[in-house]
């Protein structure tokens, strides 16, 4: 059974195509026009071992907000689609990933209910290339809303903005990978309700 998702989303602001295979090998093909965001999506696929395609053409003449937000919404929807009825998945997972002086701690429940708890150092550099560092929380909010997962992301310490953001995407990748993996002892849907 292949666990793949494909979402096309077109508005007056952006045109997005996302494809994800949860059981991939980390093959990534992303282009959003926002270099650092591409670098983060690359982390997500590579460390999640997802095969991931994200192609976005957005209104970058305004700024990168719509491009980043709509890509993340489509990615969340594709991830949700790929999970299907969630039969046999691990469901809960956590991952801690350091990047030099920064640490990210991510905990996830593929619960069917969207909820984000997020904290990171407040005094980060405002921009990384054309990436506005206040967008990280918005990326996570957008992903969570569509993926319908509970996601807790914390960076208790870190100094370099590039490191602070990148360790979050690496830890998110690992947590999503472990939570979405098939548990060989789990024959049903991992919920006492019988549905997720
Ligand atoms: Mn980097």
């Amino acid at each position: 059974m292949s666990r793949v998702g494909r979402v096309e989303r077109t508005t007056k602001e952006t045109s997005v195509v996302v494809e994800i295979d949860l059981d991939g090998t980390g093959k990534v093909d992303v282009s959003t026009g926002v270099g650092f965001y591409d670098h983060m999506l690359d982390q997500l696929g590579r460390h999640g071992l997802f095969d991931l395609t994200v192609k976005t053409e957005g209104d970058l003449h305004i700024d990168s907000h719509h491009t980043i937000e709509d890509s993340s919404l489509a990615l969340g929807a594709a991830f949700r689609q790929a999970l299907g009825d969630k039969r046999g998945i691990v469901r809960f997972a956590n991952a801690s990933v350091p990047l030099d002086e920064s640490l990210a701690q991510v905990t996830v429940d593929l619960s069917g209910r969207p909820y984000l708890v997020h904290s990171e150092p407040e005094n980060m550099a405002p921009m990384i290339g054309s990436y506005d560092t206040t967008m990280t929380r918005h990326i996570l909010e957008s992903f969570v809303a569509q993926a319908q997962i509970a996601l807790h992301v914390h960076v208790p310490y870190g100094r370099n903005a590039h490191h602070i953001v990148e360790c979050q995407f690496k830890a998110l990748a690992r947590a999503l990978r472990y939570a979405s993996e098939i548990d060989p002892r789990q024959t049903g849907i991992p919920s006492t309700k019988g549905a997720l």
Side-chain angles (χ1 to χ4, degrees), residues 95-105 119-121 123-124 128 154-171:
S96 288
V97 173
L99 206 175
D100 294 349
E101 85 297 342
S102 299
L103 179 74
Q105 300 165 322
S119 68
E120 63 184 359
N123 53 352
M124 227 186 308
I128 307 168
H154 297 291
V155 180
Y157 48 82
R159 270 192 318 277
N160 178 271
H162 189 124
H163 292 169
I164 289 169
V165 179
E166 184 168 333
C167 66
Q168 293 179 66
F169 279 89
K170 284 176 163 159

Side-chain angles (χ1 to χ4, degrees), residues 97-150:
V97 173
L99 206 175
D100 294 349
E101 85 297 342
S102 299
L103 179 74
Q105 300 165 322
V106 172
T107 309
V108 66
D109 176 8
L110 306 182
S111 59
R113 294 192 306 279
Y115 205 100
L116 175 71
V117 181
H118 180 248
S119 68
E120 63 184 359
E122 296 286 334
N123 53 352
M124 227 186 308
M127 300 297 290
I128 307 168
S130 61
Y131 179 88
D132 172 346
T133 57
T134 65
M135 286 303 287
T136 306
R137 181 169 301 166
H138 196 47
I139 288 167
L140 298 173
E141 284 168 346
S142 302
F143 180 78
V144 158
Q146 289 295 318
Q148 298 179 354
I149 64 175

Side-chain angles (χ1 to χ4, degrees), residues 6-19:
R6 186 176 198 283
V7 170
E8 280 194 56
R9 188 180 189 283
T10 300
T11 68
K12 287 179 183 169
E13 296 171 343
T14 63
S15 168
V16 185
V17 180
V18 172
E19 292 172 353

